Amino acid sequence: MLIVTCIKQVPDTTQVKIDPVTGNLIREGVPFIVNPFDTHALEESLRLKDKYGFHIAAISMGPPNTEFTLRKALSVGVDKAILLSDRVFGGADTLATSTVLAEAIKRLSQEEEVALVICGKQTIDGDTAQVGSGIATRLNYAQLTLVDKILSLDIKAKRITVRRKLEGYHEIVEAPLPALITVLREINHPRYPTVPMRLNAKETPITIWDNQFMKLQEESIGLKGSATQVRRIFSPERTKGEIVGNGTANPEEAAKLLIDKMVAKDIISV
Amino acid sequence: MSLSNWIFLIIFIIAITFFAWSFRKRFRLLALGKAENRSGSVLKRCWNVVMYPFLQRCAINPAYRFGINHAILFWCFMVLLISNAEFLLKGIFSAIDFARLPNGAYFTLSLIFDIVSILALLAVILAVVRRLFFAPRYLPARSKDAFVILSMIAALMLAFFFMNGAEIGQGIERASTYMPISGFFASAFMNGASKTTLEILAAIFWWIHAIVLLSFLNYLPYSKHMHILTSIPNVYLRNLDGVSLQPREEFKKGNAYGVGQVNQFTSKNLMDSYSCTECGRCSDMCPANATQKHLNPRVVIHDIKVNLLKNGPDLVAGKQATLPLIGGKKEGSIEEEVLWDCTTCGACTAVCPVFIEQYPRILDIRRHLVQMESRFPEELLNFFENMESRSNPWGIAPTDRAKWTTTVQTKPFEINETEYLFYVGCFGSFDARSKQITLANARIFNAAGISWGILGKDELCCGDSLRRLGNEFIFDTMAQKNVKMFKDKGVKKIITQCPHCYTTLKNDYRQYGLEVEVIHHTELIDQLIKSGKLKIDGKVDLGKVVFHDACYLGRYNQIYDAPRKTVALATGKSPVEMERNHERSFCCGAGGGRMWLEEKVGKGINIERVEQALTKEPQTICVSCPYCMTMFEDGLKTKKMEDKVQVLDVAEIVNRAMKQS
């Protein structure tokens, strides 16, 4: 049985700068990283592989340089890496992206039965958390989002039980397989690749699927298949903050005022 | 040949054969290790053998006064080697006898052997008394091994005196007047005995002496006293560089990295373990051991030996090792915690009388754990990833590297134009406190009018911590990038302000073909003052200043005087020394990648060092390393002394002493 892990290569947001004049993101020279949430998705699939002996396929949609991210996945132990790359996939929003990813999973399931699709909760560039749900919808899989623990996985009975972490409480839910889960960072500590695995990953071929292979309708993918259009990217203007209490004279009082304010604004809950 | 000659000859042959068999059995295990080139510098190596074992510079150390006892015992052994050779030969061929020498020679030898034997006996008694009643903390004093050997030596000496005494009593010893101690034994214990009794006694003690001597020889390969056989070759093969460098690895498919099994060490590393006498000096010097951590460098070496002896025969036979080298709870297996306790301060190797390399073995195993098994304390995961993706420990955006330059005049390093590259380092670039040192240095360089420049946001981390933590793979790529950049930019001279960058660029990068002049700021400042380029007055009042030696500057690179002289010039008086200074300095706790690890067990190493400093009641602690700076400041905060004692880098002190012109 197969686990499909969806991963994305994102710009290292700590290194993204905003052009002070135009307010646009400066993308040139910004190094790429594997979306941090996806490293946890990878790790969870590897743990299931270690425990139950699944095969793992890592899939990623992106330009050819996404190879970097797929090699990282290979270096921690996924069995095959598939890059979904075609100019017509470009400019996709979450809807068009999930269409392509869902189609890829469908094709993979024709070769080997898919038990589980694992995604990160969201990416750190788009931050929408919609692609995972989109894939599940398109594939008609059960979707279990915001998972911080897999409680049980019964392959024979084809059922999975997970714990979802929601605002202030946990929810334990069960679903039939195949299912799609999106995971939180708390679910695990990603492993570090060993050197032999890294060297192996360098030589493992990466399969590239373009639209000639995928044969998706051009209206459903890329910019054309996107329901949303980006009009402008800018950094929100920050209004001047206020000084709460007197931190130097009475730090405890100031901390208390600050907490009250944050509770009032629903930034934190008690 | 008489019957007793024949009997002895048979016993002698059996004993020698058994010894040769044991010796071979142990030594062929050394061949399991990998080869390592320790040839070259033959004269220097021979000189070391003269100095250390033969003149006993190994044992004689002002910090360990009892070492003189070892020296006496050793020299006695050297002399008695002659006497015992004659003894054994005479046992087989009665014709070989010093008594056949002319009077002058025979009397002299007899006197020497008599005196030397009593000296040896006294040394043994002292050693026993010390072990029983005055054992220092670091010495595994009451080990069976030690007492077996000491008793054997004592038995040899006593048998010698009784045997000679019995011969003196019989009136057949013509050198009797030159054998005062044997004479004393004759009159004190055998006075009035009949000639027959004395003959029998002489024979009995002769046989006791003979049997103990041969047993002693045969016991050696099975005890820690194997050092008698291995320490001289071990000294000959010692590492002659100041720094114990880890070799580069070849990253190729199918290779293994580091040491996960005992036969992955080199033969020399394995011989180290045979050479340990368990004197415990390394344990005494180890900062981790002093603060109740799991690590005891002596035990690491001991475990390697036990592991080799246990697994060696199987490995020779082509079978699997049964006792794991890492992680087992048994003797001969090194606990994982132990391996992460080491700060790589080098105090163990610096103090070892027979040049055993303790901490480098820990690094060998770290390499295996990190690279082959991805097993390391979890807090290192972020560190490794930050280093790999952003080339600094905290994962700060590399573009922020030059942020410190806003308040001081700096220039980028220009090819063929700039003389010195100021390699600022991660701490100096990002850490708020260390940036003050960077600024002080920049002002000093500007005031001295030297030509210097920086790489700004192109600067990359040197990778020191990665290498010490065993992540050679990432270190390797970083080193290659840095060396290429230095070469491309035509860098000839590099100033560092961090001893870790210093030793990495100067020593480690030599393995990557970088041959440039690397200079630590304390050395440069010393030169600038000497040459008159930098004018300072000795009027900076910092109260009592104690000086702390950074391990990577001092023990690793023998820079001790430059910072002290500079501080003396800036403040008008020499800095106060701590109890542990120069090559005996006590680590701040941050080296070897420990900066990035939690210190969960025992007392904080930095707290211990701060307490050592505070016993001198200073107003200022002077350091020369940003790691030490951080550790001392944290330690002072914990001791709630941060308002009373300040920590300053040498550069900051000089900066304050600069004449405004």
Side-chain angles (χ1 to χ4, degrees), chain A residues 12-15 17 31 33 72 189-196 198-200 202-203, chain B residues 251-253 257 371-374 376 378 381 384 388 390 397-400 471 473-474:
Chain A
D12 185 349
T13 47
T14 57
Q15 301 192 38
K17 292 268 162 348
I33 56 170
K72 286 243 161 183
H189 292 288
R191 68 192 60 187
Y192 192 70
T194 66
V195 173
R198 280 182 197 256
L199 297 179
N200 265 331
K202 270 191 192 169
E203 291 173 17
Chain B
F251 292 104
K252 215 174 71 184
K253 239 177 129 174
Y257 313 101
Q371 302 188 113
M372 299 300 288
E373 301 192 33
S374 291
F376 44 78
E378 61 180 359
L381 185 71
F384 286 161
E388 188 175 352
R390 290 171 206 158
T399 41
D400 289 358
N471 199 334
F473 184 74
I474 306 298

Side-chain angles (χ1 to χ4, degrees), chain B residues 170-241:
Chain B
Q170 292 171 63
I172 54 170
E173 179 53 76
R174 81 173 194 280
S176 58
T177 42
Y178 298 94
M179 298 163 80
I181 312 298
S182 301
F184 165 78
F185 272 72
S187 52
F189 304 115
M190 291 174 281
N191 203 7
S194 72
K195 195 164 187 303
T196 332
T197 319
L198 288 172
E199 268 173 17
I200 296 167
L201 279 176
I204 290 175
F205 283 110
W206 188 91
W207 278 103
I208 291 177
H209 191 274
I211 301 298
V212 174
L213 185 61
L214 294 175
S215 311
F216 181 78
L217 184 70
N218 275 291
Y219 184 68
L220 292 183
Y222 295 96
S223 71
K224 68 178 182 123
H225 288 77
M226 188 132 71
H227 87 283
I228 292 176
L229 307 170
T230 52
S231 50
I232 291 174
N234 215 54
V235 170
Y236 181 84
L237 295 171
R238 72 174 279 205
N239 170 30
L240 291 174
D241 304 324

Side-chain angles (χ1 to χ4, degrees), chain A residues 180-250:
Chain A
L180 180 142
I181 66 173
T182 73
V183 301
L184 303 179
R185 287 182 182 224
E186 296 90 312
I187 194 165
N188 55 40
H189 292 288
R191 68 192 60 187
Y192 192 70
T194 66
V195 173
M197 292 284 275
R198 280 182 197 256
L199 297 179
N200 265 331
K202 270 191 192 169
E203 291 173 17
T204 312
I206 289 174
T207 314
I208 299 174
W209 287 356
D210 56 13
N211 203 36
Q212 266 191 327
F213 177 81
M214 303 272 283
K215 297 191 178 62
L216 283 158
Q217 298 274 314
E218 294 218 357
E219 294 73 52
S220 64
I221 55 171
L223 202 57
K224 282 189 197 162
S226 295
T228 51
Q229 308 285 325
V230 177
R231 297 268 300 275
R232 191 180 137 220
I233 297 175
F234 60 97
S235 48
E237 237 169 72
R238 266 185 64 184
T239 47
K240 211 175 169 196
E242 62 175 306
I243 293 167
V244 180
N246 186 345
T248 32
N250 195 348

Side-chain angles (χ1 to χ4, degrees), chain B residues 397-570:
Chain B
T399 41
D400 289 358
R401 256 196 198 266
K403 274 196 171 169
W404 61 271
T405 54
T406 47
T407 53
V408 69
Q409 197 197 337
T410 60
K411 274 188 197 161
F413 183 89
E414 301 284 357
I415 275 190
N416 300 330
E417 231 175 70
T418 319
E419 184 183 0
Y420 289 100
L421 166 66
F422 179 27
Y423 182 82
V424 184
C426 298
F427 263 81
S429 299
F430 298 112
D431 175 68
R433 177 65 186 87
S434 301
K435 277 195 233 175
Q436 301 305 313
I437 309 173
T438 312
L439 291 173
N441 270 319
R443 289 187 187 115
I444 291 167
F445 305 154
N446 283 341
I450 62 168
S451 153
W452 66 285
I454 57 169
L455 295 170
K457 64 180 171 42
D458 293 335
E459 186 182 288
L460 299 169
C461 174
C462 67
D464 161 72
S465 286
L466 282 174
R467 192 165 222 210
R468 318 304 164 210
L469 286 165
N471 199 334
E472 186 71 5
F473 184 74
I474 306 298
F475 170 79
D476 190 72
T477 54
M478 290 169 80
Q480 290 187 37
K481 269 191 215 162
N482 272 317
V483 170
K484 184 173 182 305
M485 177 156 59
F486 294 149
K487 283 186 175 168
D488 289 351
K489 294 204 181 261
V491 174
K492 300 275 183 323
K493 296 176 179 179
I494 304 178
I495 310 165
T496 69
Q497 55 181 351
C498 168
H500 296 262
C501 302
Y502 177 79
T503 203
T504 306
L505 299 188
K506 182 177 176 164
N507 301 309
D508 297 74
Y509 280 14
R510 209 174 289 150
Q511 295 175 336
Y512 291 82
L514 184 71
E515 298 284 346
V516 295
E517 187 192 328
V518 184
I519 185 163
H520 188 256
H521 71 275
T522 58
E523 287 179 295
L524 180 68
I525 291 170
D526 181 48
Q527 288 173 16
L528 292 174
I529 295 171
K530 247 188 235 156
S531 64
K533 284 187 185 153
L534 188 66
K535 307 253 185 300
I536 60 168
D537 54 33
K539 286 176 192 149
V540 183
D541 184 15
L542 301 169
K544 198 185 208 181
V545 180
V546 298
F547 185 78
H548 164 80
D549 282 289
C551 307
Y552 278 38
L553 207 57
R555 264 192 299 268
Y556 273 54
N557 291 294
Q558 289 77 49
I559 298 173
Y560 295 113
D561 296 337
R564 287 179 166 80
K565 271 194 281 177
T566 306
V567 173
L569 283 173

Side-chain angles (χ1 to χ4, degrees), chain B residues 130-131 138-140 224 276-282 298 353:
Chain B
R130 170 180 181 245
R131 280 180 181 270
Y138 54 83
L139 185 72
K224 68 178 182 123
C276 178
T277 325
E278 301 177 9
C279 71
R281 289 184 189 179
C282 57
R298 177 183 65 73

Side-chain angles (χ1 to χ4, degrees), chain B residues 290-308:
Chain B
T291 52
Q292 307 88 42
K293 309 281 187 291
H294 296 278
L295 170 62
N296 181 342
R298 177 183 65 73
V299 176
V300 170
I301 296 300
H302 177 75
D303 282 334
I304 291 173
K305 173 177 164 178
V306 172
N307 195 284
L308 177 65

